[in-house]
């Protein structure tokens, strides 16, 4: 091909394609570790023989990053993350927790959030906070704040309270605090969360937190095995799987009148049985065995509430010695007009019970003429074979 003086060299399309597709010297195929140098949480750092695949520089960077990330997680008391900078982009949440041991209450004060991730097209969000107690998260134990519109730095200054929290709950339960964005025309969007094991709290002391929000992290294989074993054990031990709320009951044996006085004081965080998100609860009590079918007592119905207060007492004429042969069955129902009432939850106290239910019964027997109040968990297991 001849080229005139001053003319730019031209390349045919065939030559152009040939140049572009020329592979040159054969390169080794990249390993997967080249693209994913980090290792999942809970696994040991890269072994020496793997450094050859990813190169000494990348191996050193991966090891140092993992070490720095682990150090940060240890200092903050929060789980390690694959990307340490990810949490800061979701925002921070300021809140305080207090366990009122005397009144069996957990007070959660949601103060404010800063720098939340924008979720709407206008670059803002409509944030609210919701709380769950784990394990056993359900609508019965969900609390939430009001929604604040068009802000990334909301100030709620709102206190949410769980009633019926026992010392056992404080040992085994974790509080999940989630920040979400409310949408009118589609599903609400999750922004971030933080989780606090309740065993970190000291009774009657306020503990303040200022935590970075995190995404819901995947559970490691070892954790999956742990939870599978845990729930399998729980299924084997107890068939009543679902919590339906809490009930406060008082027991007192009156020696002058030779009767057992049962007090139905209040319920908290009941399961919603109606379409409006509430229930119309009332409580029934039986002292079994009941040969004459005369032990049934019933409270008044409280309309449209999941936290009813009853403050009603019922008397059972019974000899003190016979109490060791009896079982008190307490059930909570949702009243419906024109159809069968819905069972919300129940609990049994007596010599055949266990845990707090058995302890409450024995405390009543040991302390005559003294009113003993306790919170109990309602489950979806119907005591005995009661029908409404």
């Amino acid at each position: 091909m001849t080229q005139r003086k001053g003319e730019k060299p031209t390349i045919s399309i065939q030559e152009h394609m040939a140049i572009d597709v020329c592979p040159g010297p054969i390169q080794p195929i990249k390993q997967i570790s080249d693209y994913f140098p980090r290792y999942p949480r809970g696994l040991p750092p890269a072994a020496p023989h793997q450094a050859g695949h990813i190169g000494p520089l990348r191996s050193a960077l991966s090891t140092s990053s993992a070490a720095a990330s682990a150090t940060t997680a240890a200092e903050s008391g929060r789980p390690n993350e694959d990307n340490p900078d990810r949490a800061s982009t979701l925002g921070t949440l300021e809140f305080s927790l207090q366990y009122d041991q005397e009144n069996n209450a957990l007070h959660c004060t949601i103060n404010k959030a800063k720098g939340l991730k924008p979720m709407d097209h206008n670059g803002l969000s409509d944030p609210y906070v919701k709380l769950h107690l784990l394990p056993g998260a359900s609508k019965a134990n969900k609390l939430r704040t009001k929604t604040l519109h068009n802000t990334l730095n909301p100030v709620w200054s709102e206190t949410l309270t769980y009633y019926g929290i026992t010392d056992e709950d404080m040992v085994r339960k974790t509080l999940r605090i989630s920040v979400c964005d409310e949408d009118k025309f589609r599903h609400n969007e999750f922004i971030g969360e933080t989780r606090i094991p309740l065993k970190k709290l000291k009774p009657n002391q306020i503990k303040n937190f200022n935590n970075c929000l995190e995404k819901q992290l995947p559970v490691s294989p070892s954790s999956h095995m742990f939870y599978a074993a845990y729930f399998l054990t729980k299924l084997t031990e107890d068939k009543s799987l679902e919590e339906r709320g809490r009930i406060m009951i008082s027991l007192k044996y009156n020696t002058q009148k030779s009767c057992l006085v049962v007090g139905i004081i209040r319920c908290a965080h009941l399961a919603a049985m109606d379409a409006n998100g509430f229930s119309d609860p009332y409580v029934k009590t039986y002292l079994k065995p009941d040969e004459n079918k005369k032990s049934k007592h019933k409270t008044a119905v409280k309309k449209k509430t999941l936290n009813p207060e009853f403050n009603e007492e019922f008397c059972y004429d019974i000899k003190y010695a016979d109490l060791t042969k009896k079982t008190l069955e307490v059930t909570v129902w949702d009243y419906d007009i024109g159809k069968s009432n819905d069972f919300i939850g129940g609990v049994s106290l007596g010599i055949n019970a266990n845990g707090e239910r058995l302890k409450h019964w024995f405390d009543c027997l040991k302390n005559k003429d003294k009113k003993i109040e306790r919170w109990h968990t309602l489950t979806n297991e119907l005591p005995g074979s009661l029908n409404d």
Side-chain angles (χ1 to χ4, degrees):
M1 178 180 177
T2 60
Q3 179 181 347
R4 297 180 180 179
K5 188 176 181 180
E7 190 177 46
K8 292 183 179 180
T10 60
I11 300 175
S12 67
I13 187 65
Q14 291 82 1
E15 292 172 316
H16 178 78
M17 294 299 293
I19 293 172
D20 277 358
V21 299
C22 180
I26 297 175
Q27 300 291 334
I29 298 174
K30 285 182 176 290
Q31 303 293 318
I32 291 180
S33 57
D34 287 347
Y35 299 98
F36 302 98
R38 295 175 185 268
Y39 283 82
R41 297 187 313 281
L43 295 181
H49 71 274
Q50 293 172 323
H53 294 300
I54 62 177
L57 177 59
R58 183 168 292 178
S59 177
L61 288 173
S62 175
T63 305
S64 62
S65 298
S69 181
T71 304
T72 304
E75 291 174 352
S76 64
R78 291 191 296 274
N80 189 9
E81 296 188 27
D82 290 342
N83 186 354
D85 297 328
R86 181 176 64 184
S88 61
T89 63
L90 301 177
T92 60
L93 181 67
E94 293 184 21
F95 60 96
S96 64
L97 302 176
Q98 181 187 18
Y99 173 46
D100 185 350
Q101 190 175 36
E102 182 178 354
N103 296 311
N104 295 104
L106 176 65
H107 303 293
C108 314
T109 300
I110 307 299
N111 296 319
K112 59 184 178 180
K114 290 183 179 180
L116 293 180
K117 179 181 178 181
M119 306 297 289
D120 298 336
H121 295 301
N122 60 2
L124 300 172
S125 294
D126 303 314
Y128 67 92
V129 177
K130 63 180 180 179
L131 311 179
H132 279 106
L133 281 176
L134 304 174
S138 67
K139 290 183 179 180
N141 67 29
K142 181 180 76 174
L143 301 177
R144 63 162 287 175
T145 66
K146 59 188 177 184
T147 301
L148 299 180
H149 296 280
N150 297 322
T151 178
L152 299 180
N153 301 287
V155 178
W156 287 283
S157 298
E158 191 172 341
T159 299
L160 307 174
T161 301
Y162 281 105
Y163 295 99
I165 301 298
T166 63
D167 291 341
E168 181 183 355
D169 291 327
M170 297 300 295
V171 173
R172 68 184 183 92
K173 296 234 174 190
T174 295
L175 180 65
R176 178 192 181 195
I177 306 177
S178 307
V179 181
C180 300
D181 171 59
E182 184 177 286
D183 284 316
K184 290 184 178 180
F185 304 108
R186 54 181 180 173
H187 292 298
N188 296 341
E189 295 179 287
F190 175 84
I191 298 178
E193 69 170 37
T194 184
R195 302 190 183 197
I196 306 296
L198 296 186
K199 61 185 178 182
K200 288 187 175 182
L201 305 181
K202 296 181 179 179
N204 306 314
Q205 292 186 14
I206 298 176
K207 187 173 179 63
N208 296 310
F209 297 86
N210 185 9
N211 288 9
C212 288
L213 295 176
E214 302 171 327
K215 285 190 176 293
Q216 197 166 359
L217 300 175
V219 183
S220 64
S222 60
S223 298
H224 277 305
M225 294 176 63
F226 169 78
Y227 283 117
Y230 172 79
F231 284 115
L232 182 61
T233 303
K234 295 298 289 182
L235 283 169
T236 306
E237 291 177 352
D238 194 353
K239 297 294 181 65
S240 56
L241 307 177
E242 184 181 347
E243 292 186 10
R244 296 290 188 89
R246 303 293 174 93
I247 184 170
M248 177 180 273
I249 301 172
S250 69
L251 298 178
K252 173 185 174 182
Y253 187 78
N254 190 320
T255 54
Q256 293 183 348
K257 297 181 179 180
S258 296
C259 69
L260 175 67
V261 182
V262 178
I264 305 299
I265 301 172
R266 63 184 300 185
C267 295
H269 317 301
L270 294 179
M273 308 302 289
D274 296 336
N276 60 7
F278 293 96
S279 293
D280 302 317
Y282 67 94
V283 180
K284 295 194 301 181
T285 64
Y286 292 82
L287 194 61
K288 297 291 190 78
D290 181 20
E291 298 176 357
N292 299 322
K293 308 287 184 182
K294 294 182 178 180
S295 71
K296 175 181 173 181
H297 288 283
K298 185 188 297 187
T299 68
V301 177
K302 302 296 181 179
K303 293 288 186 178
K304 200 176 179 182
T305 178
L306 301 180
N307 299 281
E309 293 192 18
F310 297 100
N311 294 314
E312 297 188 36
E313 290 186 342
F314 308 118
C315 292
Y316 291 100
D317 295 325
I318 184 173
K319 295 179 181 179
Y320 176 78
D322 293 338
L323 283 177
T324 56
K325 307 172 187 176
K326 295 290 185 178
T327 297
L328 178 68
E329 295 180 349
V330 180
T331 55
V332 183
W333 300 79
D334 170 53
Y335 178 76
D336 287 318
I337 299 176
K339 60 179 181 178
S340 299
N341 297 333
D342 298 317
F343 173 70
I344 297 178
V347 63
S348 297
L349 284 70
I351 56 172
N352 295 320
N354 52 40
E356 285 294 322
R357 297 171 293 168
L358 177 62
K359 186 176 183 299
H360 192 184
W361 191 256
F362 275 135
D363 285 346
C364 172
L365 297 180
K366 290 188 297 182
N367 300 278
K368 299 177 183 178
D369 297 311
K370 181 180 179 181
K371 182 184 290 188
I372 309 293
E373 295 181 353
R374 292 284 190 279
W375 281 96
H376 296 283
T377 300
L378 297 168
T379 69
N380 63 333
E381 184 179 43
L382 190 63
S385 57
L386 298 177
N387 294 315
D388 188 48

